[in-house]
């Protein structure tokens, strides 16, 4: 018999903290924006599963998974290892590499059929929305965080992560905004220029100074300015991986069958 015990708050997100799931078949289930911290799974079948997210501390059959995943990702994508150096010089090097990476992908999208930038694959963000999210991240981590700005920080058409949708309007974000791709591209290019200019001018003392994380973060966690820029670069790399994954799927779907 399938058996699930827990509580669901029907006025808000599902709350299944401490739920007990026994003898249940969840084959083909989809989990999105779900917190699974501290879960315990015993006697499970997980064949063919596909996980993407924050997996710190995950152990499978007694083996900690994250170090293995980290090593394999760095092997596949050598530029990803640049994220480990948080010195000013290291951040500059990573930014140069990631800008080159994105430039090639933008050229690829430009050569694809019209409208590709707005195509969503498996309910993921389209290429255009991904760029809008990266603008949002830069606004939060560079302008708000590293630079300490509080006025005219966020582009209204930025796309927040889904969990922060409710808080975004307080920052001036218009969730229904629909800018053209040309506008998105220009704003995105301007934000990259801001990061580049910041790294060109910042001193070691400034890079090591305390910085307030953006409003969606735990305000009790201590950050310094260099860490804020490091988060931006991490977002750049991760979302480039997602974007190219989806572009590959779009190309595959358009390829003639043989």
């Amino acid at each position: 018999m399938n058996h699930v015990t827990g509580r669901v708050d029907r006025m808000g997100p599902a709350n299944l903290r401490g739920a007990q799931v026994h003898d249940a078949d969840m084959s083909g289930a989809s989990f999105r924006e779900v917190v699974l911290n501290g879960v315990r799974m015993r006697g499970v079948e997980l064949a063919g599963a596909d996980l993407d997210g924050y997996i710190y501390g995950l152990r499978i059959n007694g083996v900690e998974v994250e170090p293995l995943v980290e090593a394999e990702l760095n092997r596949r994508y050598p530029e990803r290892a640049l994220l480990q150096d948080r010195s000013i010089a290291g951040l500059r090097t990573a930014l140069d590499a990631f800008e080159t990476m994105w430039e090639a992908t933008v050229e690829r999208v430009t050569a694809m059929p019209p409208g590709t930038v707005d195509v969503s694959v498996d309910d993921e963000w389209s290429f255009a929305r991904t760029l809008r999210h990266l603008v949002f991240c830069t606004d939060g981590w560079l302008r708000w965080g590293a630079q300490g700005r509080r006025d005219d920080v966020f582009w209204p058409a930025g796309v927040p992560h889904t969990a922060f949708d409710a808080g975004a309007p307080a920052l001036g974000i218009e969730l229904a905004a629909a800018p053209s791709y040309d506008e998105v591209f220009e704003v995105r290019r301007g934000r990259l220029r801001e990061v580049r200019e910041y790294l060109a001018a910042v001193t070691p003392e400034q890079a090591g100074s305390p910085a307030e994380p953006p409003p969606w973060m735990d305000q009790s966690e201590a950050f310094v300015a260099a860490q804020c820029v490091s988060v931006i670069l991490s977002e750049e790399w991760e979302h480039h991986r997602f974007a190219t994954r989806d572009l590959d799927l779009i190309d595959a779907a358009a390829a003639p069958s043989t």
Side-chain angles (χ1 to χ4, degrees), residues 68-111:
L68 307 178
V69 174
E70 288 289 303
E72 177 61 15
L73 286 173
N74 287 341
R75 185 191 69 80
R76 293 185 185 184
Y77 312 102
E79 72 280 356
R80 182 178 184 272
L82 297 173
L83 294 169
Q84 297 172 3
D85 185 352
R86 293 184 177 179
S87 68
I88 297 175
L91 295 173
R92 290 170 181 161
T93 299
L95 179 62
D96 288 343
F98 294 173
E99 282 199 84
T100 299
M101 183 175 67
W102 272 106
E103 286 169 2
T105 302
V106 167
E107 290 179 4
R108 174 187 178 183
V109 173
T110 301

Side-chain angles (χ1 to χ4, degrees), residues 108 111-114 116 119 121 246-258:
R108 174 187 178 183
M112 294 175 75
T116 298
V119 174
V121 177
D246 292 349
L247 292 175
D248 289 344
L249 292 172
I250 292 171
D251 273 339
S257 56
T258 56

